[in-house]
Amino acid sequence: LDLDAPAMQSYWTPRLAALSAHPRVRLIVPTPELAAELRAGYGTDVEILPHPTTTFHDDELGKLQAGGGAAGRITVVFPGNLRGGKGFDLTKDALLALIDSGVENLRLRVRFPPADSVNKARQDFFDHIRDKGEIMDSYLDEDEFRALLLSADLVALPYTPDRFKNRTSGLLVDSLLLGVPCVGIDNTWLAGQVRALSVGQVVPETG
């Protein structure tokens, strides 16, 4: 959705104002950035409810140890499901660069896209790298998903600004809870968190 679109603002400004005034309605968004955008474009103040971790329990905080496995190899995990806005092309470029880097102690783990996101070019790419990395099924059960994140020394989340400028990522929250450094794309909510917490690296979408 383009929140800056005049048609969107014209339609939703009076409706959000009415909802905001209703005594039994609370308007809540997950990020301060989105709250600021609604205030500027729609004149509506909303509450902020931060994104929780949905993978790990609160009482596990500080008790889990991620990475450091696989016989001393550095495990780089691309845990996103590679749907729209989750950076398939950037994931592809990063994987090829890491494979071509010649670094011998890398363990690369990436999730195969969901069936409705697979075309011949994507299938060919994963077939090409299958013997150079670990291709995880797109649909992981809870234990498999936890194990994937716990295996990581580094998490790559190349989510793009067109979809994630003000949108949260549960995978980032999960990774930060584990203390795993993350790589995010500039001008996204993820990049703001990585910078604020100094856990990982922010890179440009291009170049």
Side-chain angles (χ1 to χ4, degrees):
L1 295 177
D2 182 5
L3 295 182
D4 295 326
M8 177 75 75
Q9 293 179 347
S10 176
Y11 180 86
W12 279 107
T13 294
R15 288 165 173 80
L16 287 175
L19 287 171
S20 180
H22 196 290
R24 299 181 63 183
V25 173
R26 295 172 64 189
L27 300 179
I28 301 173
V29 297
T31 70
E33 295 86 351
L34 183 53
E37 191 167 359
L38 289 174
R39 186 181 304 111
Y42 298 81
T44 299
D45 288 317
V46 296
E47 299 178 62
I48 300 167
L49 182 65
H51 195 308
T53 174
T54 57
T55 304
F56 302 103
H57 300 293
D58 290 345
D59 58 9
E60 293 180 293
L61 181 64
K63 300 177 183 177
L64 296 170
Q65 180 65 47
R73 299 168 72 191
I74 299 171
T75 299
V76 181
V77 173
F78 293 77
N81 66 15
L82 300 181
R83 290 187 186 276
K86 295 191 174 181
F88 173 81
D89 290 334
L90 293 171
T91 296
K92 175 182 175 181
D93 292 344
L95 283 168
L96 291 175
L98 290 169
I99 290 168
D100 293 341
S101 69
V103 178
E104 296 181 357
N105 66 336
L106 282 181
R107 178 192 186 197
L108 303 176
R109 311 189 78 192
V110 59
R111 288 172 70 190
F112 193 78
D116 60 2
S117 299
V118 178
N119 54 30
K120 185 178 185 304
R122 292 188 174 194
Q123 182 67 61
D124 289 347
F125 168 71
F126 279 98
D127 289 343
H128 172 68
I129 68 165
R130 195 168 296 278
D131 63 342
K132 302 175 180 66
E134 298 176 32
I135 313 300
M136 314 296 294
D137 191 84
S138 176
Y139 302 99
L140 303 176
D141 65 30
E142 182 178 347
D143 290 338
E144 291 171 330
F145 194 70
R146 284 172 59 98
L148 176 63
L149 291 179
L150 285 166
S151 74
D153 294 294
L154 178 70
V155 166
L157 293 168
Y159 295 2
T160 53
D162 61 325
R163 299 287 186 93
F164 283 86
K165 177 183 176 183
N166 294 324
R167 182 176 166 189
T168 61
S169 163
L171 285 170
L172 180 73
V173 174
D174 293 339
S175 301
L176 295 177
L177 180 145
L178 294 174
V180 177
C182 299
V183 177
I185 303 299
D186 203 7
N187 297 314
T188 61
W189 175 84
L190 295 83
Q193 303 306 303
V194 170
R195 282 198 176 101
L197 297 171
S198 299
V199 183
Q201 184 70 40
V202 173
V203 297
E205 184 176 3
T206 59

